[in-house]
Amino acid sequence: MELLNVLIVDDEYLIRNLLRMRIDWQQQGMQIVGEAADAAEALEQVELLHPDIVFTDIYMPKVDGIELSERILERYPNIRIVVVTGHDEFEYARQSVKLGISDFILKPIRASELLQVTAKLRAGIEQERGRAYELAKLREDMKRSLPYLKERFVNQWLHGLLHENEVKDQVHLYGIPITANKPQSRIAIIEVEAAIPLQAGTSTEEAQILLRMEVLKRVQAYYQQDLYKIIIMDTNNRIVILAISPDAGLTEQVEQLQEELRHLLKAGGFEADVTVGVGQMYSGWEGVCMAYREACRALDYQTFAGKNQVICFEDLVIESHNGSQPYRSDTSLLQQLQFCVSVGAGEEAVSVLNKILTFPFTNVAQFRMAAMDVITECQRAAMEQQLEGEQVFNKEAVALMLMADHLPELKLLLEQHVRTITDVIQAKRQAREGNLIDQVKAYLEEQMGNADVGLSSTAAAFYVSPGHLGRLMKKETGQTFVEYLTQLRMKKAESLLKQTDLKGYEIGEQVGIPDPHYFSVLFKKQFGRSMNEYRNVRS
C-alpha cells in the first residue's frame, strides 16, 4: 500500500516538531504532508492535501481540537483523527469519542506510544481499504454477471419456479420497469433451426452457439429502444421476447423480425427455418408462466402446420359461438401422461389419456387441440428415451388424428398411438434391463470370491440404485439378489468339493464366505448334509 498522508495540527511549533521527529514515519508507512497552527489553517490543508490521518491538539485559539475534529469528520468521515492531550484534558477528550475520533495520545509524547497508535491506524486503514477493494471487485463482478443473472431469473419466472414476492424483489434488482400491481405480459418465442456447414477449426456445436448468439443480438438490436421488451435465451436455446406492457403490435413485430432473420441467415449462407410461437396477453405475476406455456404450445404446432411461420395461440383455440368454455391444457395431466409413456406404462398412460379427453368439447377445433397436446407429450417422451423413426412418429397416423371429425374416432386413434409408443419404450426397457442382468450375472461369477461383494457395491458398479437392481434381479431370476449370489457361491463350493482336496474353510474363502461356521451352515442348508458327509457319499 502507498504511504499514508499525515497532517499535524498544533498551535505550538515545538509540539509539531516533536511529533515530526519522534519516530521514523516512513518506516511506519506514512509521510507528513503538512502542518497547521490553528483550526482555520487545518481546514484549508485538509481541503488541499486530503490527508489520511490528522494529529490535533485539543487546546488551540478560537476553535479547539474537538470542534475541528467534528468539522473534518462531517465532510470527510474516512479521515482518522488522533487527539493530542494533556493529563488534565484527558477525560474531556474521552467524552468526545462519540464524534468518531480514532485515538488519543497523552503529553508528553513518548515514541513507544506514538508507534503503537500509528501501527494500529495503519492496520485499520489497510483493513478498511481491503474491504472496500473487495466490495468494489464484487460489484464489478456482479455488473459483468448481471446479464446472465437476469437471464436465469427470467427463465425461473417463465417456468413458475419463484414466489410472487421473489419476482417482485428481483424485478427491481435487474431494473425491469414494472410498477403495476398486476402487470400485463405477452410472450413470443423464436426458434431457429439451421443446417450449418462444417468449417475448419470450428465444431458443429460451437458454430450453432455462435449462430444463436448472432440471432439473439439481432433481436436485441430490434428492441433496443423498447424498455418494455425483455429478450433472453430460454433453456431450450430459443429466443424469448417477454413484453411486460400491453402491446397489440407484438404479432406484427415478430412477423417483421421473422422475415429479417430469414434474410439475414440466407445472406450468411445458412439453410435455416425461423418459426415463432406467440401466446395471449395475461395479467398478474403468474400470468408470465401461462403466456410462456402458450407460446411454447403455439411453437409446438409447427409439427403439424409447418415451419417458417408465426403461429399465434389464439388462432389455434377456436371458441364456439354459443360462448362455451374454451379448451385449456391441463398441465398436470399432460405431465402425468408424459411420465407414464416414458416408463412404458401403457395401461396407466391410457387411463390418463381418458381423463384428458373428459373435457366438455363443443367443437372439432377443441378436441384437435387436445389431440395435439397428447401427440406432443408422446413425442417428448419418445425423445427422452432416444427413440426415432416411423415406429414412434407415423406422419399418416398423426394426420388422421388431427383430421378426425368425431371424438370417439379420435379417442380410439389416440389410444392406439399411446399404446404403440409405450409398447416400443417398454420393449426397449426390457431389453436394456435383461442386458443389465446378464452383465450383473457375469460380474458376480467373476467377483464371487470377494467377500465384500453385495447388492450395494454391485449396484454402484453398474450406476443403478440398490432398490432398482434388487427388483430387476427378482423379476429376471425369481430370486432376491442375496439368494442368487448365495446359490452361485454354493454351486462353486460344490464344484471345488468334488474336484479338489481343499479343506472346508479354504473353499469358503475361495467363494467369498471366509467365516467357516457360517459357510458350513449355508452349505448344509443348500445340500442337506455337511461337507464331510457330502465327500463321504462321493467316495
Side-chain angles (χ1 to χ4, degrees):
M1 191 170 78
E2 61 185 18
L3 294 175
L4 299 175
N5 294 326
V6 177
L7 174 67
I8 298 175
V9 184
D10 199 299
D11 59 337
E12 296 184 34
Y13 169 77
L14 290 177
I15 298 296
R16 298 201 303 271
N17 196 49
L18 180 63
L19 272 170
R20 181 187 287 276
M21 304 299 297
R22 209 61 164 154
I23 62 171
D24 185 338
W25 290 91
Q26 199 145 3
Q27 195 174 42
Q28 291 298 102
M30 301 178 184
Q31 60 182 352
I32 297 174
V33 293
E35 297 179 11
D38 55 37
E41 187 181 357
L43 291 171
E44 289 178 4
Q45 295 274 37
V46 168
E47 292 284 344
L48 181 66
L49 302 172
H50 301 292
D52 300 297
I53 302 167
V54 174
F55 283 82
T56 179
D57 188 19
I58 279 194
Y59 283 128
M60 293 186 297
K62 296 182 182 178
V63 176
D64 63 26
I66 300 299
E67 187 177 345
L68 170 64
S69 300
E70 187 174 7
R71 292 186 188 180
I72 292 173
L73 292 172
E74 268 182 19
R75 296 200 59 185
Y76 302 101
N78 291 326
I79 291 180
R80 305 298 175 98
I81 296 179
V82 180
V83 170
V84 182
T85 176
H87 286 286
D88 295 339
E89 306 156 353
F90 188 61
E91 285 304 317
Y92 166 59
R94 284 185 54 165
Q95 291 171 10
S96 304
V97 74
K98 62 184 180 183
L99 294 176
I101 291 169
S102 298
D103 217 327
F104 303 91
I105 292 182
L106 284 172
K107 296 176 183 177
I109 298 167
R110 293 188 294 273
S112 59
E113 186 180 359
L114 189 55
L115 287 170
Q116 285 180 359
V117 169
T118 52
K120 188 166 75 171
L121 287 170
R122 180 173 178 80
I125 291 171
E126 285 180 347
Q127 186 178 30
E128 185 178 285
R129 290 184 179 178
R131 283 197 301 266
Y133 172 76
E134 288 300 323
L135 185 59
K137 190 177 176 185
L138 285 172
R139 282 177 176 156
E140 188 63 31
D141 290 343
M142 183 177 176
K143 187 177 178 182
R144 282 197 299 269
S145 304
L146 210 57
Y148 308 103
L149 296 172
K150 181 179 178 181
E151 184 171 287
R152 188 181 69 173
F153 154 64
V154 175
N155 266 300
Q156 289 175 329
W157 187 12
L158 295 177
H159 288 90
L161 301 178
L162 300 175
H163 188 271
E164 182 178 315
N165 290 334
E166 292 178 295
V167 175
K168 288 179 179 178
D169 289 342
Q170 295 194 50
V171 156
H172 295 300
L173 174 65
Y174 296 114
I176 298 173
I178 296 180
T179 54
N181 289 328
K182 286 193 172 182
Q184 291 187 301
S185 55
R186 195 176 183 199
I187 288 177
I189 302 176
I190 302 173
E191 183 174 79
V192 178
E193 294 179 331
I196 299 180
L198 288 175
Q199 297 178 357
T202 304
S203 68
T204 303
E205 181 61 27
E206 183 183 356
Q208 289 278 6
I209 291 170
L210 292 172
L211 178 65
R212 287 196 292 265
M213 288 176 64
E214 180 63 30
V215 174
L216 178 64
K217 285 181 181 177
R218 180 56 64 100
V219 177
Q220 288 171 335
Y222 183 90
Y223 285 111
Q224 189 173 8
Q225 304 302 321
D226 193 337
L227 297 176
Y228 297 97
K229 297 291 190 303
I230 301 167
I231 317 298
I232 66 153
M233 193 80 78
D234 73 2
T235 51
N236 293 309
N237 295 317
R238 302 174 303 194
I239 297 166
V240 176
I241 302 169
L242 168 57
I244 52 173
S245 67
D247 192 341
L250 182 63
T251 303
E252 290 73 19
Q253 292 165 15
V254 294
E255 284 174 348
Q256 182 182 346
L257 251 177
Q258 191 242 12
E259 284 298 317
E260 287 186 11
L261 293 174
R262 288 188 66 195
H263 289 141
L264 170 71
L265 294 167
K266 190 173 182 181
F270 297 105
E271 290 294 329
D273 297 315
V274 181
T275 311
V276 185
V278 185
Q280 299 179 103
M281 180 74 73
Y282 278 90
S283 293
W285 299 96
E286 293 181 356
V288 169
C289 311
M290 299 180 69
Y292 177 68
R293 198 176 301 136
E294 283 190 357
C296 289
R297 290 189 57 228
L299 195 60
D300 287 339
Y301 196 74
Q302 67 182 290
T303 307
F304 320 112
K307 300 179 183 297
N308 292 315
Q309 297 188 58
V310 174
I311 307 168
C312 295
F313 185 82
E314 58 217 45
D315 295 336
L316 305 179
V317 183
I318 304 172
E319 299 182 27
S320 62
H321 296 295
N322 61 8
S324 61
Q325 179 185 358
Y327 171 74
R328 298 290 186 204
S329 302
D330 188 323
T331 307
S332 176
L333 284 176
L334 290 172
Q335 287 175 347
Q336 289 178 43
L337 176 67
Q338 184 185 352
F339 174 76
C340 292
V341 175
S342 295
V343 298
E347 293 304 320
E348 292 82 352
V350 170
S351 175
V352 177
L353 170 66
N354 289 329
K355 290 179 183 177
I356 293 170
L357 297 180
T358 57
F359 182 88
F361 301 105
T362 56
N363 58 51
V364 174
Q366 287 184 344
F367 64 70
R368 284 181 180 171
M369 280 294 297
M372 189 184 80
D373 277 347
V374 172
I375 295 166
T376 300
E377 294 306 321
C378 288
Q379 279 303 104
R380 285 177 179 157
M383 288 170 65
E384 275 186 8
Q385 300 303 316
Q386 299 179 335
L387 299 180
E388 295 178 355
E390 196 71 14
Q391 60 183 159
V392 293
F393 191 75
N394 185 315
K395 290 183 179 180
E396 291 180 4
V398 170
L400 282 173
M401 284 183 272
L402 293 173
M403 293 171 63
D405 292 325
H406 303 286
L407 187 56
E409 177 192 0
L410 177 63
K411 282 184 176 180
L412 183 61
L413 290 169
L414 285 173
E415 183 175 328
Q416 290 173 350
H417 185 65
V418 167
R419 287 190 186 280
T420 298
I421 296 180
T422 51
D423 287 348
V424 172
I425 291 174
Q426 179 64 5
K428 184 177 180 181
R429 286 173 65 87
Q430 286 176 343
R432 190 163 57 229
E433 289 170 357
N435 185 46
L436 172 63
I437 295 303
D438 288 341
Q439 292 179 50
V440 169
K441 287 179 179 178
Y443 175 81
L444 294 178
E445 286 274 4
E446 182 184 334
Q447 296 289 326
M448 80 166 78
N450 183 354
D452 294 327
V453 168
L455 177 59
S456 295
S457 63
T458 305
F462 288 91
Y463 304 101
V464 295
S465 70
H468 181 62
L469 179 58
R471 287 190 293 273
L472 285 181
M473 285 293 290
K474 184 72 174 177
K475 177 181 172 184
E476 295 292 325
T477 67
Q479 297 175 295
T480 66
F481 181 90
V482 173
E483 289 170 347
Y484 180 85
L485 179 58
T486 302
Q487 186 183 62
L488 194 66
R489 283 170 163 161
M490 290 301 102
K491 286 181 178 178
K492 180 67 175 177
E494 182 186 25
S495 174
L496 291 171
L497 199 62
K498 288 178 179 179
Q499 298 171 11
T500 71
D501 293 323
L502 292 172
K503 295 179 180 178
Y505 75 88
E506 293 174 323
I507 292 174
E509 287 175 351
Q510 288 208 19
V511 299
I513 307 174
D515 184 335
H517 175 70
Y518 182 54
F519 174 62
S520 297
V521 170
L522 288 177
F523 189 92
K524 189 168 185 179
K525 183 179 178 181
Q526 177 75 21
F527 297 105
R529 63 192 71 181
S530 68
M531 281 180 287
N532 287 334
E533 291 171 341
Y534 194 95
R535 265 189 171 144
N536 290 335
V537 170
R538 186 194 68 174
S539 300

